[in-house]
Amino acid sequence: MLRGMSVIEVSNLHKRYRDKIAVRDVSFTVAEGEIFGILGPNGAGKTTTVECVAGLRVPDSGTIRVLGKDPRRDARQLHTQVGVQLQESHLPERLKVWEALHLYASFYPDPADWERLIDEWGMSEKRATPYGKLSGGQKQRLFIMLALVGRPRVVFLDELTTGLDPQARRETWGLIERLRQTGVTVVLVTHFMEEAERLCDRLALIDDGAVVAIDTPRGLVSRMDSHQVIRFRVNRPFDEGLLTAIPEVTEVAHDGGQVVVTGQGDLLYAVTAVLARNQIVAADLRVEQANLDDAFVALTGKRF
Ligand SMILES: Nc1ncnc2c1ncn2[C@@H]1O[C@H](COP(=O)(O)OP(=O)(O)OP(=O)(O)O)[C@@H](O)[C@H]1O
């Protein structure tokens, strides 16, 4: 869903490193206030794309506008409006949380009140803790705060939750959802489907340096709605022809003791009606809903 004007416009981005084409042809726009995900497997070209858009790398061709400006030519003007948290960021081990924020705040003419940021991001108790003593999740919080201390309008977050345990990852997701409420536009690079599904308003699926699809998570998954899977166990042997004769059914298979029926349309109703009519009891019945994983596989023919 587009909420406002485009704050990022990328057209036909291309970038190679010597003989390796990292980004073949990437185009997308990001609207103000969106959380826009760039999702793809390792090596797909996500980081290179974001580094070009953030003005940290020079593309070989293509055009990029961030808040109407060129990230390289207008770097000085954009500096105060764009916050970046890069993959595998590091700080000196002994630098304390407050010192890092104090230092970063000094880079901006009109920084956020970083004492308040510390409170808002639940780091008051860690205020005087050195970077090297923070947990993975706390380090990520600090990096988000550092990306926000210049009061940016656009924030790039690259692989924010990679390396975090599931609980810390979920906590970080909660924090990013809070970012949404501040109205800041977020570009989130990730290779976690679940993360993209939960957080992003829209997503660009990237594979092998090119955009495969751009849509809302729901929109991407709904492309898969024509493909449903039902699993169940039966109380007695039965004639499979009963199921294959159903127009909605495309395939009937077995997985261990389970019957696995694939099909489309109102598959669940059609299958359960036939089973009931034939006095077959379906136990442990489960409908598998398509997710982003399935969408990615269907769109690229690959698994993450
Ligand atoms: N500085 C570089 N020099 C040469 N090749 C590079 C460089 N940086 C990236 N690459 C290659 O370009 C391709 C795209 O890399 P990129 O880091 O943009 O992908 P990614 O989708 O962010 O992957 P990951 O999730 O692993 O970070 C990869 O094949 C990578 O090996």
Side-chain angles (χ1 to χ4, degrees), residues 172-193:
T172 307
W173 291 351
L175 299 175
I176 295 172
E177 278 168 343
R178 277 172 43 188
L179 265 186
R180 188 198 299 277
Q181 291 152 23
T182 68
V184 68
T185 304
V186 180
V187 177
L188 182 78
V189 175
T190 182
H191 62 253
F192 292 116
M193 299 282 184

Side-chain angles (χ1 to χ4, degrees), residues 17 20-22 41-49 57 87 159 191:
Y17 302 106
K20 169 76 197 165
I21 298 176
N42 287 337
K46 306 181 296 294
T47 297
T48 304
T49 298
R57 278 196 192 278
Q87 203 173 351
E159 301 280 3
H191 62 253

Side-chain angles (χ1 to χ4, degrees), residues 94-150:
R94 292 184 179 190
L95 193 68
K96 294 178 178 140
V97 167
W98 76 266
E99 289 172 335
L101 282 157
H102 180 62
L103 175 69
Y104 274 57
S106 72
F107 301 155
Y108 298 94
D110 183 24
D113 174 352
W114 53 263
E115 293 281 10
R116 229 176 106 181
L117 274 181
I118 290 181
D119 286 345
E120 281 170 7
W121 292 85
M123 290 283 280
S124 305
E125 282 177 20
K126 300 289 166 187
R127 194 180 177 284
T129 304
Y131 171 76
K133 294 261 163 61
L134 297 174
S135 71
Q138 289 159 353
K139 284 179 178 162
Q140 295 301 44
R141 271 176 208 225
L142 177 56
F143 285 122
I144 299 177
M145 290 192 284
L146 294 176
L148 292 176
V149 77

Side-chain angles (χ1 to χ4, degrees), residues 210-260:
V211 173
V212 180
I214 297 182
D215 207 336
T216 60
R218 188 60 238 155
L220 287 168
V221 172
S222 71
R223 299 182 190 198
M224 303 292 100
D225 273 356
S226 57
H227 176 85
Q228 303 166 40
V229 178
I230 301 175
R231 292 172 172 269
F232 53 88
R233 294 180 193 282
V234 286
N235 59 338
R236 63 175 173 81
F238 72 105
D239 173 14
E240 258 179 37
L242 290 170
L243 296 180
T244 50
I246 300 173
E248 285 85 354
V249 171
T250 49
E251 193 187 344
V252 179
H254 295 271
D255 180 9
Q258 291 184 326
V259 182
V260 184

